[in-house]
């Protein structure tokens, strides 16, 4: 339903003639025609903003943005009658020109430069995130029936408490709170694009009155000096999701570590491809590890931790875990070397007793005891929902030792352990141990050892089909869903896998043969 308007809305002079008698049930086509007509004369449109009902700002702004009416945009930002302007959602729909984006930022800049705030000032948050407030512009264009109350105008007050806006942080009451700019940042190779550079320039000029807040931060291959220059302008306590996916040396990560410690609202952290320097000065690597792990004590809201291809982790996992101050929901350690003592620290860490998601894909466990992993699974059995043990090199005896703990995971929905050398007998034992797990619906089994022709991993498709049918029959007899997915070891020639359910999805080498 459209926002409530007076039964008849009249505008003065030529503005009245363009928006004649627009009632609550005016069709969107009429609104669009009236907006386009008004925007042909930007000077008139700017003059009319003082009398324009708040309900007409969003559709007129959208038309001005799509039509690259820079002066009208600049003026409308200054007169925006809502707490939040979700510009990012509009940028996703209409790819903006640099001039258009700059006009919107300039409007905010002019607004902040004024000592006396305009009568209709309501703007508190400029949201540049493209996936936030997706419905706002369609609602106001009349294609959706409801309006998000988050953006409804409120009565102007000389001193006001900031309403909570999606993604925004609470500020103490003050006469004029700063304006926040919400953005998701991706720092990658090369200099920042022109739009980001322009925004950073304005944030630097208006330091204190224009705050750059970033919920999601992605760091790729950008020089550290450039990263640090940008992060100096970001309110680091606004970052909730951080990915550092760089081929960094440990010393480089050490220089980044102080920024990490300031991200006190962080909920999700991914570190990937951090490697140690060969022939490093003794003690220097240890210092860098200590510098990094010390930052974890500040991350008291951390819920998800992903460590991928981290070469320094072996022998230091306990140091990382001891600094965790909050129970984790997700722990993913992939493609890393860890020792048996590291596994012991995993099993003893109190922050891992409420895990929902545990991933150890690509962590070689062939030569270590399975007891610490069994203890960890047992501790998290009341909450664990997703378990990934792909490519761990787990043998029959080790896997058998895990089965009693697995049978207690009442919330388990997904279990994947392909790429492990497991026999058919142990797979059958797994079915008997998990028969009581009513929520378990997705299991990716390794192709049994008996389905290979040789030690090189050549599949015998006839044997695989027979063993698949046998497991499927067992599931039916146990009253379980009879969907069985097999995954073979990577092909020794092309590296792709063959999947089976119940027809084979072959790797290119088999298809060529």
């Amino acid at each position: 339903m459209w926002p409530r308007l007076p039964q008849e809305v009249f505008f003065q002079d030529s503005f009245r003639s363009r928006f004649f008698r627009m009632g609550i049930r005016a069709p969107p086509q009429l609104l669009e025609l009236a907006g386009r007509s008004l925007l042909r004369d930007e000077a008139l449109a700017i003059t009319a903003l003082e009398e324009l009902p708040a309900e007409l700002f969003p559709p007129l702004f959208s038309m001005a943005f799509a039509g690259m009416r820079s002066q009208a945009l600049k003026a409308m930002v200054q007169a925006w009658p809502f707490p939040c302007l979700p510009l990012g959602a509009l940028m996703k729909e209409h790819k903006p020109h640099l001039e258009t984006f700059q006009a919107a930022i300039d409007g905010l800049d002019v607004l902040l430069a004024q000592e006396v705030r305009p009568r209709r000032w309501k703007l508190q948050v400029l949201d540049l995130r493209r996936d936030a407030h997706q419905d706002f512009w369609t609602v106001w264009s009349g294609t959706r029936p409801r309006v998000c109350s988050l953006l409804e105008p409120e009565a102007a007050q000389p001193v006001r408490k900031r309403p909570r806006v999606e993604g925004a942080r609470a500020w103490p009451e003050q006469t004029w709170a700063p304006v926040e700019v919400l953005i998701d940042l991706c720092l990658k190779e090369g200099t920042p694009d022109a739009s980001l550079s322009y925004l950073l320039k304005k944030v630097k000029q208006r330091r204190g009155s224009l705050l750059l807040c970033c919920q999601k931060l992605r760091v790729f291959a950008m020089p550290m000096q450039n990263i640090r220059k940008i992060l100096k302008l970001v309110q680091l306590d606004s970052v909730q999701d951080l990915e550092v996916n760089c081929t960094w040396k440990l010393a480089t990560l050490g220089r980044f570590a102080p920024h990490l410690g300031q991200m006190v609202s962080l909920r999700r952290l991914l570190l990937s491809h951090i490697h140690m320097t060969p022939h490093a000065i003794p003690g220097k690597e240890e210092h860098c590890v200590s510098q990094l792990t010390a930052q974890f004590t500040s991350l008291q809201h951390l819920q998800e931790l992903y460590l991928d291809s981290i070469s320094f982790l072996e022998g230091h996992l306990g140091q990382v875990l001891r600094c965790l101050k909050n129970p984790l929901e997700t722990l993913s350690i992939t493609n890393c070397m860890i020792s048996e003592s590291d596994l012991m620290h995993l099993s003893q860490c109190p922050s891992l007793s409420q895990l929902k998601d545990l991933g150890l894909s690509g962590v070689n466990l062939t030569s270590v005891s399975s007891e610490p992993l069994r203890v960890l699974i047992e501790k998290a059995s009341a909450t664990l929902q997703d378990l990934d043990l792909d490519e761990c090199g787990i043998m029959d005896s080790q896997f058998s030792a895990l089965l009693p703990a697995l049978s207690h995971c009442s919330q388990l929905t997904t279990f994947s352990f392909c790429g492990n050398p497991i026999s058919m007998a142990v797979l059958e034992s797994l079915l008997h141990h998990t028969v009581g797990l009513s929520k378990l619906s997705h299991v990716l089994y390794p192709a049994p050892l008996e389905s290979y022709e040789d030690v090189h991993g050549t599949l015998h498709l006839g044997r695989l089909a027979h063993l698949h049918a046998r497991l499927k029959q067992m599931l039916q007899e146990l009253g379980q869903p009879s969907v069985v997915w097999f995954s073979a070891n990577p092909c020794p020639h092309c590296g792709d896998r063959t999947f089976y359910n119940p027809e084979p999805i072959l790797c290119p080498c088999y298809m060529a043969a």
Side-chain angles (χ1 to χ4, degrees):
M1 184 175 181
W2 272 79
R4 177 168 294 179
L5 295 176
Q7 184 63 30
E8 293 183 347
V9 180
F10 292 94
F11 298 88
Q12 297 176 351
D13 304 320
S14 61
F15 188 49
R16 176 189 301 169
S17 66
R18 299 182 188 206
F19 277 101
F20 62 98
R21 302 193 64 183
M22 183 166 294
I24 191 170
R25 298 186 181 278
Q29 294 84 352
L30 179 58
L31 177 62
E32 183 177 352
L33 289 173
R36 288 179 179 176
S37 176
L38 179 62
L39 287 171
R40 289 194 189 101
D41 188 341
E42 284 193 86
L44 176 61
I46 292 170
T47 303
L49 292 179
E50 186 67 21
E51 303 299 329
L52 187 69
E55 292 85 353
L56 296 180
F57 264 77
L60 191 62
F61 189 96
S62 181
M63 283 181 261
F65 191 84
M68 295 183 289
R69 302 290 184 176
S70 297
Q71 293 306 312
L73 280 175
K74 185 175 178 179
M76 292 188 77
V77 169
Q78 297 171 56
W80 190 252
F82 303 97
C84 177
L85 172 54
L87 186 60
L90 197 59
M91 292 167 64
K92 184 177 181 179
E93 182 179 353
H94 305 285
K95 188 174 181 180
H97 290 74
L98 177 61
E99 182 182 350
T100 309
F101 177 79
Q102 289 179 342
I105 301 301
D106 286 344
L108 184 57
D109 186 54
V110 171
L111 193 63
L112 293 170
Q114 299 179 28
E115 293 185 5
V116 179
R117 302 291 171 100
R119 176 179 63 85
R120 298 185 67 172
W121 178 316
K122 299 292 190 302
L123 186 60
Q124 298 164 15
V125 175
L126 175 63
D127 197 336
L128 299 179
R129 298 172 300 165
R130 303 202 174 203
D131 294 326
H133 309 299
Q134 290 293 299
D135 291 341
F136 177 77
W137 300 103
T138 54
V139 165
W140 285 105
S141 67
T143 59
R144 294 290 296 274
R146 298 177 60 189
V147 177
C148 179
S149 60
L150 174 72
L151 302 177
E152 288 179 353
E154 60 181 16
Q157 301 174 8
V159 178
R160 55 189 174 172
K161 183 177 180 180
R162 294 168 60 94
R164 292 296 295 151
V165 176
E166 178 191 351
R169 297 170 295 128
W171 286 87
E173 289 190 15
Q174 53 182 317
T175 304
W176 296 115
V179 174
E180 294 183 3
V181 178
L182 302 185
I183 189 171
D184 292 334
L185 281 175
C186 180
L187 307 182
K188 53 189 177 182
E189 190 172 3
T191 56
D193 63 42
S195 296
L196 178 57
S197 296
Y198 194 77
L199 174 63
L200 294 173
K201 175 184 174 182
K202 292 298 180 182
V203 170
K204 188 174 183 179
Q205 291 174 350
R206 298 292 174 191
R207 190 184 294 269
S209 59
L210 187 60
L211 305 180
L212 186 60
C213 300
C214 172
Q215 283 192 332
K216 294 181 181 180
L217 174 60
R218 306 287 182 265
V219 181
F220 293 98
M222 176 179 279
M224 179 56 66
Q225 60 181 9
N226 292 352
I227 292 173
R228 297 175 75 173
K229 285 180 181 178
I230 292 174
L231 293 187
K232 284 181 180 179
L233 300 174
V234 175
Q235 303 296 307
L236 293 179
D237 60 344
S238 68
V239 179
Q240 298 183 20
D241 187 338
L242 171 65
E243 289 188 8
V244 178
N245 196 339
C246 307
T247 53
W248 277 356
K249 297 176 182 178
L250 181 56
T252 306
L253 183 61
R255 295 202 299 274
F256 181 83
H259 298 292
L260 174 63
Q262 297 178 56
M263 300 178 188
V264 294
S265 301
L266 200 65
R267 297 179 180 275
R268 179 180 180 272
L269 171 62
L270 181 148
L271 298 177
S272 182
H273 291 87
I274 310 297
H275 60 277
M276 299 179 72
T277 307
H279 315 297
I281 300 174
K284 184 176 181 180
E285 301 285 3
E286 290 293 332
H287 172 73
C288 291
V289 172
S290 298
Q291 187 179 23
L292 172 66
T293 55
Q295 311 306 319
F296 281 77
T297 59
S298 303
L299 309 182
Q300 300 195 19
H301 299 282
L302 190 65
Q303 296 178 344
E304 302 178 33
L305 178 59
Y306 301 83
L307 303 172
D308 174 62
S309 302
I310 307 294
S311 66
F312 68 83
L313 199 60
E314 185 175 13
H316 295 104
L317 184 55
Q319 194 173 343
V320 173
L321 297 174
R322 280 194 298 271
C323 294
L324 295 177
K325 300 300 181 183
N326 202 50
L328 291 183
E329 292 185 358
T330 297
L331 176 65
S332 176
I333 302 173
T334 56
N335 305 309
C336 297
M337 294 292 294
I338 62 174
S339 64
E340 192 155 344
S341 65
D342 291 325
L343 275 177
M344 287 297 297
H345 286 298
L346 274 176
S347 66
Q348 296 168 0
C349 179
S351 295
L352 305 183
S353 60
Q354 300 177 34
L355 282 176
K356 294 182 180 180
D357 188 340
L358 173 62
L360 296 174
S361 176
V363 175
N364 193 322
L365 302 176
T366 303
S367 303
V368 299
S369 169
S370 59
E371 179 62 13
L373 181 56
R374 185 200 67 78
V375 171
L376 176 59
I377 293 173
E378 187 73 51
K379 284 177 61 175
S381 60
T383 55
L384 194 61
Q385 299 175 9
D386 193 331
L387 179 60
D388 184 353
L389 299 177
D390 289 349
E391 303 289 346
C392 290
I394 298 175
M395 313 292 283
D396 272 357
S397 59
Q398 295 170 304
F399 194 75
S400 296
L402 301 178
L403 293 180
L406 277 174
S407 68
H408 297 154
C409 296
S410 57
Q411 304 302 309
L412 195 65
T413 60
T414 304
F415 178 37
S416 180
F417 63 115
C418 61
N420 296 292
I422 305 297
S423 67
M424 185 64 178
V426 172
L427 290 184
E428 291 175 344
S429 181
L430 169 67
L431 296 188
H432 287 289
H433 276 86
T434 57
V435 68
L437 304 183
S438 59
K439 296 186 178 181
L440 185 60
S441 57
H442 297 84
V443 182
L444 185 57
Y445 303 87
L449 287 173
E450 293 84 349
S451 59
Y452 294 98
E453 293 185 13
D454 51 45
V455 295
H456 302 295
T458 305
L459 269 177
H460 189 293
L461 294 180
R463 294 179 196 168
L464 186 64
H466 172 72
L467 296 172
H468 182 276
R470 186 165 143 191
L471 276 187
K472 188 172 181 178
Q473 178 64 31
M474 281 190 63
L475 284 170
Q476 290 174 342
E477 292 172 356
L478 293 170
Q480 298 296 305
S482 57
V483 176
V484 177
W485 275 94
F486 275 157
S487 173
N489 291 334
C491 171
H493 305 292
C494 68
D496 286 353
R497 296 180 180 274
T498 290
F499 293 92
Y500 196 93
N501 175 40
E503 298 298 326
I505 303 173
L506 300 173
C507 78
C509 298
Y510 276 101
M511 295 174 66

